[in-house]
Amino acid sequence: MRKKKACESYPSLVRMLSFNPKPFVFSAVAMSGPPERKIPTAAENYPVPLSPPLPPISKQIELSRAMTASSNSSIFSLSPSDILYHDDHLIAVNKHQGIYCETLLSSLASQSHELHLANRLDRDTSGILLLTKSHKVAAKLVKAFTEHKVKKTYIALCTGPPPNWEQVTVRSGHGRSKFGAWRVYAASDVGRTLPGGSAVRSMETSFEVLSVNGNGSFREVSDSGEEGNVLVVEEKAVKEDGNASEIVVRAYPRSGRTHQIRLHCQYLGISIVGDVKYEGVYGWKGITHHAHHLHAETLSFEHPVTGLDVMLRAPLPLWATQAFQR
């Protein structure tokens, strides 16, 4: 028996396609179910980041650093000299470079059954890490951090052209680009939606120069944290030419955004030594730097239980004391 061709099985459709002079148009029928994800269009005009994307070399270096930190976590032991403050409610410790906060938390588990991180530091940032011994105290401190009632200072070793300022305050936007990296945005972009659905948030840091190529010295923290000139970010930074200098700065973060100080140092053209994510030098003066040189120096707050003022200070790391000696 001869098989019918497909066109012979559907004569009415063949006649319609053959004799209708207009193009045959199929219309989509709306189906029930969850709405499709909206595809961004150029017309939506997302904010443009003003800091450069992550350098390609940073991915491999950061992976290597993460693997080293993970392997070291099994043998890490906190020294008693690293405990800066201890009472019935709080513990403050001096975290070292290349140590995860969770590693340090685990090492303190024997001292209390219930410990909580009140603040966090990046893996390679050293300095004051504050822990609480109860949920109630943790909630109070987290609220104080969120409301910017906790004052913090950091010390950073940077390279770049010598700054033409002694104090400066940088105000900008902060958010994730479409590739997930943290970037600097214009201050006027605050509140605008980013590709991932989050919004640009405000970010502010004050800086003061402590030393350039060894000329300068360590000095005490200013109570007010002088603002100096105010730089409101609205366009990409223009990099200055010239020989790179070694610069030590103190940072007073006025907000608490991820990688805030690192991003603002990059924008100012003085990236932190070893901070390969944000254009910091990997090798400097014949030395390879396996971590970025940023140190959480001081922490000031009202004790969540006693109400007394607490001022904590972490001793300077070796790279900082050497920079001042030079």
Side-chain angles (χ1 to χ4, degrees), residues 156 189 244 259 271 299:
D189 284 334
H259 299 176
S271 291
L299 202 63

Side-chain angles (χ1 to χ4, degrees), residues 288-311:
T288 299
H289 296 272
H290 297 289
H292 63 246
H293 291 349
L294 179 63
H295 180 66
E297 176 195 21
T298 67
L299 202 63
S300 304
F301 58 95
E302 181 183 287
H303 196 289
V305 177
T306 66
L308 298 175
D309 291 335
V310 179
M311 167 66 169

Side-chain angles (χ1 to χ4, degrees), residues 38-320:
K38 184 180 178 182
I39 301 175
T41 64
E44 292 187 70
N45 193 24
Y46 287 128
V48 177
L50 301 182
S51 57
L54 303 185
I57 192 177
S58 67
K59 185 176 181 180
Q60 185 60 42
I61 294 175
E62 283 294 316
L63 177 61
S64 175
R65 290 175 177 178
M67 292 175 66
T68 300
S70 295
S71 62
N72 289 341
S73 63
S74 60
I75 59 174
F76 175 78
S77 178
L78 188 71
S79 168
S81 62
D82 289 328
I83 298 178
L84 305 173
Y85 179 86
H86 189 195
D87 65 19
D88 292 338
H89 311 283
L90 305 173
I91 300 177
V93 299
N94 182 24
K95 188 183 89 67
H96 292 233
Q97 270 185 340
I99 299 296
Y100 287 108
C101 293
E102 289 75 14
T103 300
L104 198 148
L105 188 64
S106 299
S107 70
L108 286 167
S110 60
Q111 299 197 26
S112 177
H113 295 295
E114 186 181 351
L115 287 176
H116 310 272
L117 292 169
N119 68 320
R120 301 186 70 88
L121 298 175
D122 295 332
R123 179 195 63 226
D124 292 336
T125 300
S126 58
I128 302 171
L129 191 67
L130 188 61
L131 303 97
T132 68
K133 297 183 179 181
S134 71
H135 282 293
K136 186 176 180 180
V137 175
K140 288 183 177 180
L141 268 179
V142 168
K143 186 172 184 290
F145 273 100
T146 303
E147 295 176 350
H148 310 304
K149 293 180 179 179
V150 180
K151 295 182 179 179
K152 302 172 283 184
T153 67
Y154 290 73
I155 296 286
L157 178 64
C158 310
T159 60
N164 56 8
W165 44 266
E166 292 185 4
Q167 292 98 20
V168 70
T169 294
V170 184
R171 294 174 183 165
S172 74
H174 170 272
R176 285 188 186 273
S177 67
K178 64 179 180 179
F179 300 111
W182 295 107
R183 308 280 286 278
V184 172
Y185 288 83
S188 58
D189 284 334
V190 170
R192 294 181 61 189
T193 302
L194 293 166
S198 62
V200 177
R201 304 176 73 185
S202 62
M203 177 166 68
E204 180 175 335
T205 316
S206 295
F207 293 92
E208 64 175 330
V209 176
L210 299 181
S211 172
V212 177
N213 293 329
N215 296 318
S217 61
F218 178 84
R219 55 180 177 268
E220 290 302 318
V221 174
S222 167
D223 290 336
S224 59
E226 297 295 331
E227 285 194 351
N229 296 325
V230 177
L231 172 60
V232 179
V233 174
E234 291 296 342
E235 57 187 21
K236 292 184 178 180
V238 178
K239 288 193 174 183
E240 297 182 15
D241 296 327
N243 296 327
S245 298
E246 185 176 274
I247 305 153
V248 181
V249 298
R250 175 178 282 132
Y252 299 80
R254 313 290 184 183
S255 52
R257 308 301 178 213
T258 303
H259 299 176
Q260 171 172 327
I261 297 170
R262 298 163 63 185
L263 282 163
H264 274 167
C265 281
Q266 179 192 31
Y267 186 83
L268 290 170
I270 52 169
S271 291
I272 298 173
V273 170
D275 193 1
V276 294
K277 270 191 175 182
Y278 302 116
E279 300 184 299
V281 293
Y282 183 52
W284 176 249
K285 294 186 175 179
I287 300 173
T288 299
H289 296 272
H290 297 289
H292 63 246
H293 291 349
L294 179 63
H295 180 66
E297 176 195 21
T298 67
L299 202 63
S300 304
F301 58 95
E302 181 183 287
H303 196 289
V305 177
T306 66
L308 298 175
D309 291 335
V310 179
M311 167 66 169
L312 303 176
R313 181 189 296 275
L316 293 178
L318 180 62
W319 57 259

